[in-house]
Amino acid sequence: MQDHQYWMQQALLLAEQAQVLGEVPVGAVLVKDNKIIGQGYNQPISKNDPSAHAEILALREAGQRVQNYRLIDTTMYVTLEPCAMCAMAMVHARVKTLVFATSEPRTGAAGSLYQLVQNSGHNHQIDIIEGVLQMESSEMLKQFFKARR
């Protein structure tokens, strides 16, 4: 659990960068062999790119770094439960484990609204660990949306 907290803390630091840009504060790190191989934070507004979610940016960076679109034996740490787009990208990349801080009842695709990462119809399922640093992530999101209203 200590390792999970450490990596989630790194994702939370990235979420803060998104918040500074006025983006929804979500951060993600992709870890393999105890090293970050990809990281990202939400940037769809600043990049004018609807796919520039934290997880997608982390997957893109990792793919370039390892020169392979298959990211086997990796763990994705993300501060918010992934949406359908991000969940399926992780399935296609063959991410082994998804660790997320807080659930997203409106769009979550790892069990809250949909269950895409463990769907038996897919040729790959991802292990899920939920709730690592949940309070910290949830509070950051609440404060962000409270300030926007």
Side-chain angles (χ1 to χ4, degrees):
M1 191 54 126
Q2 283 297 92
D3 284 347
H4 292 319
Q5 290 179 348
Y6 173 79
W7 296 119
M8 188 61 73
Q9 186 60 48
Q10 303 310 303
L12 283 166
L13 292 172
L14 290 165
E16 290 174 3
Q17 291 182 41
Q19 187 168 0
V20 167
L21 292 176
E23 303 273 5
V24 176
V26 178
V29 295
L30 189 64
V31 175
K32 181 178 175 94
D33 299 328
N34 219 27
K35 293 182 181 134
I36 294 176
I37 62 168
Q39 61 185 2
Y41 53 88
N42 270 7
Q43 298 177 67
I45 298 167
S46 55
K47 287 186 177 285
N48 296 309
D49 179 355
S51 69
H53 289 197
E55 303 95 319
I56 299 295
L57 297 174
L59 290 168
R60 286 178 183 162
E61 183 176 289
Q64 292 300 307
R65 181 163 287 142
V66 303
Q67 290 294 289
N68 197 331
Y69 74 103
R70 295 287 164 101
L71 302 169
I72 296 168
D73 293 327
T74 58
T75 301
M76 176 71 79
Y77 292 88
V78 62
T79 58
L80 183 65
E81 180 181 1
C83 70
M85 173 183 68
C86 294
M88 287 309 300
M90 284 185 265
V91 169
H92 290 300
R94 305 299 194 269
V95 169
K96 181 179 182 180
T97 306
L98 166 63
V99 181
F100 65 90
T102 192
S103 61
E104 171 46 281
R106 291 184 189 99
T107 62
S112 290
L113 182 61
Y114 308 109
Q115 181 46 274
L116 296 180
V117 298
Q118 291 185 334
N119 187 307
S120 63
H122 299 152
N123 60 354
H124 177 73
Q125 290 80 41
I126 299 174
D127 297 328
I128 299 172
I129 300 171
E130 180 181 351
V132 176
L133 300 184
Q134 187 274 331
M135 289 180 59
E136 292 87 336
S137 177
S138 180
E139 189 58 33
M140 184 184 296
L141 288 158
K142 285 177 189 171
Q143 291 304 316
F144 173 80
F145 286 112
K146 183 177 180 182
R148 306 278 294 186
R149 288 184 210 135

